[in-house]
Each structure stands twice: as structure tokens, then as C-alpha cells.
Amino acid sequence: MKKYIKCFLMGISKATEYRFDFFSSYFGAIFPILIQVSMWKAIYATTGEGILYGYTYHQMLLYTFFVGVTAKFLSTGFEWEMNDDIKNGGLNKYIVKPINYCYYRGACFFGERFSLSIIFLIILTVISIIFGMLGYFKIDAIRIIYFITAIVFSLILNFTFFFIVGLSGLWLTEISRIFPAISVIIMVISGGIFPLDILGEHFNKVILFLPVKYMLQFPVEIITGKEMTIPIYFSFAVQIFWIVFLGSLAGILWKKGLKKYVAVGG
């Protein structure tokens, strides 16, 4: 257990060292948010409707700001490092040592997110205060508790999903080129570009039982105070189910993938 605590601390240290990169990524996220704000302003003005897809104009703006910030916090990136380990033989040093590669990656990833969580919460607080002063946002203690719980589950869900994506390198020769495509697809179908309500009732009935919505949109819905069509505990149960399922699948794929792994390079 001590070695994974060390890995967790390594993740904290890494995030601290590369904090400029973190701030730069958030600064870069401002432009897509501003583009979406302009787009929604034009759409609401053109249609003349006060509510679209269950969102008022100000609720949509609030969703856009919150989802942009939350998406950056939940993003992974370690799948690139996994691909490099597999392709160049860096995985060798983990196999011969008494350390579980999945636990190692998880400890480092959650260490990084823990270090950046204060910055994440400060940014959300600033957004909340601004919209609160304008009279468009109210927060309560129970919603904060639900939001933090959902964020933790979403982090674990994102980690397990992209760990499986990274493991595909044990079967495929070159997978790094598909990472950007996968990230874009997940961003869209998890509600990172627009609320999934836009895609219609039938799509949302299907997505209700899939993990993608709970990787991003679900916690954002909680913090923005959007009225949900299903009980919040059901959503938590779906998150937990997919965490267990994907975690178990990752374990199986890891064991099977090692049999195909060729320890070259390093």
C-alpha cells in the first residue's frame, strides 16, 4: 500500500511541476466557451423561445461554463503514456517489479487530479458567484455534496474507460493516432459540447444506461440545478455499475494482453 501512496504523491508533485500547462489548458478552454456562448445567444435570439431543450438561456450559459471547466478537470491523457510504455518496452520495468500497473496508473492519475482540485473548485466558485450575483444561480449544501460525489465517480469512470483504451495497444501496433478521435467522440456524447437533451428523447433513453453521460454531463447537471427526469440515486447506481464493470473488464484485458505483449525496447 505504501508504494501506491508514493505514486499518489508523485502525481501531486507532477501536477505541481506542470501547473503552467494546466493553467494554459484552462486558458485555451476560454475560446471554445466563448464560441458556444455566442452560438447559444444567436440560437435563442433567432427562435424567440424562452426555453430550449429544457434550458433557459441563462441555464444554458451556466451549463456551457461549468461543462467547459469540468471537462478539463476530468480529462485523462495517461493513455498516451501507456501506449509509449507498451510500444517502447517501458512496461518491462513494471512487470518485473512487485507493483500492479493499473494501481500505479490510478494512483498517479488521482494524485494529479487531487492536486488540481483546489484550482478546479476555485474556478467553479468564481463562476457560481458571478452568476449568483446576476440572480441566475443558487447553490445549497446538499447539491454540493452530490456534485462532489458525482465528480469522484466520474473521475474513476473516466480513468477505467481510458485505461481500457490504453490497453488496446497490447493488441494493436499503432493506436496513438486514434486517441484524439476517441477523445472528441467521448466529449460530444458525454455532453461536453452541448447538453445531450438536444439529441432527442429516444437517444436519451438509450444513453441513460450507458456510461458516457455519467462521465461528464451528470455532475454538471447537479451543480447547475437542472431538473432531472430520473432519481439522482439511480444515476449514482449507474455510475457505480459501470465503474465495477469497466474495472473488471480492465483486469481481464490486462491479463490477456500480457500474454501477447512482446517485451522489446526499454
Side-chain angles (χ1 to χ4, degrees), residues 117-181:
S117 61
I118 296 177
I119 301 173
F120 169 64
L121 292 175
I122 289 175
I123 295 174
L124 290 187
T125 301
V126 171
I127 295 174
S128 301
I129 291 174
I130 293 174
F131 275 86
M133 292 175 63
L134 295 174
Y136 305 134
F137 181 71
K138 292 182 180 179
I139 195 67
D140 55 74
I142 188 65
R143 203 194 309 172
I144 293 175
I145 294 174
Y146 285 154
F147 173 71
I148 293 175
T149 303
I151 280 291
V152 172
F153 286 160
S154 294
L155 271 174
I156 301 173
L157 193 54
N158 274 275
F159 170 78
T160 53
F161 178 85
F162 280 98
F163 186 80
I164 291 174
V165 171
L167 285 179
S168 60
L170 292 168
W171 284 270
L172 304 175
T173 304
E174 181 56 65
I175 62 169
S176 61
R177 295 179 182 178
I178 69 172
F179 289 159

Side-chain angles (χ1 to χ4, degrees), residues 79-88 174-176 179:
E79 60 272 16
W80 295 85
E81 298 175 9
M82 289 180 64
N83 180 60
D84 186 65
D85 285 341
I86 295 170
K87 184 178 178 180
N88 299 320
E174 181 56 65
I175 62 169
S176 61
F179 289 159

Side-chain angles (χ1 to χ4, degrees), residues 1-18:
M1 187 64 183
K2 291 183 179 179
K3 54 180 175 281
Y4 299 115
I5 294 177
K6 289 288 185 181
C7 294
F8 183 84
L9 296 176
M10 284 171 53
I12 293 178
S13 177
K14 179 181 177 181
T16 304
E17 292 175 0
Y18 292 95

Side-chain angles (χ1 to χ4, degrees), residues 222-243:
I222 293 176
I223 196 65
T224 56
K226 182 182 182 297
E227 184 177 351
M228 298 186 182
T229 56
I230 57 173
I232 193 169
Y233 296 109
F234 172 83
S235 297
F236 282 133
V238 175
Q239 277 189 311
I240 294 172
F241 167 80
W242 281 109
I243 288 171

Side-chain angles (χ1 to χ4, degrees), residues 38-222:
S38 300
M39 179 191 72
W40 287 118
K41 182 178 180 180
I43 291 174
Y44 276 86
T46 302
T47 59
E49 297 289 338
I51 298 178
L52 286 176
Y53 309 108
Y55 291 83
T56 65
Y57 173 65
H58 296 106
Q59 284 178 327
M60 189 65 78
L61 292 188
L62 190 63
Y63 178 90
T64 300
F65 277 97
F66 271 121
V67 82
V69 175
T70 305
K72 284 295 180 183
F73 179 71
L74 294 175
S75 61
T76 54
F78 63 84
E79 60 272 16
W80 295 85
E81 298 175 9
M82 289 180 64
N83 180 60
D84 186 65
D85 285 341
I86 295 170
K87 184 178 178 180
N88 299 320
L91 194 60
N92 301 351
K93 60 179 177 284
Y94 301 104
I95 296 176
V96 298
K97 293 179 180 178
I99 187 171
N100 184 295
Y101 187 69
C102 179
Y103 294 163
Y104 162 74
R105 280 294 169 198
C108 291
F109 172 71
F110 290 112
E112 291 180 36
R113 297 303 104 182
F114 179 80
S115 178
L116 300 173
S117 61
I118 296 177
I119 301 173
F120 169 64
L121 292 175
I122 289 175
I123 295 174
L124 290 187
T125 301
V126 171
I127 295 174
S128 301
I129 291 174
I130 293 174
F131 275 86
M133 292 175 63
L134 295 174
Y136 305 134
F137 181 71
K138 292 182 180 179
I139 195 67
D140 55 74
I142 188 65
R143 203 194 309 172
I144 293 175
I145 294 174
Y146 285 154
F147 173 71
I148 293 175
T149 303
I151 280 291
V152 172
F153 286 160
S154 294
L155 271 174
I156 301 173
L157 193 54
N158 274 275
F159 170 78
T160 53
F161 178 85
F162 280 98
F163 186 80
I164 291 174
V165 171
L167 285 179
S168 60
L170 292 168
W171 284 270
L172 304 175
T173 304
E174 181 56 65
I175 62 169
S176 61
R177 295 179 182 178
I178 69 172
F179 289 159
I182 294 175
S183 296
V184 170
I185 293 171
I186 293 299
M187 176 65 73
V188 172
I189 63 176
S190 65
I193 305 299
F194 48 76
L196 297 177
D197 309 71
I198 293 176
L199 299 178
E201 182 179 352
H202 296 296
F203 177 83
N204 276 272
K205 284 183 179 179
V206 174
I207 213 77
L208 193 65
F209 300 96
L210 298 179
V212 287
K213 176 181 179 179
Y214 306 95
M215 295 169 72
L216 180 57
Q217 178 166 317
F218 172 54
V220 175
E221 285 182 335
I222 293 176

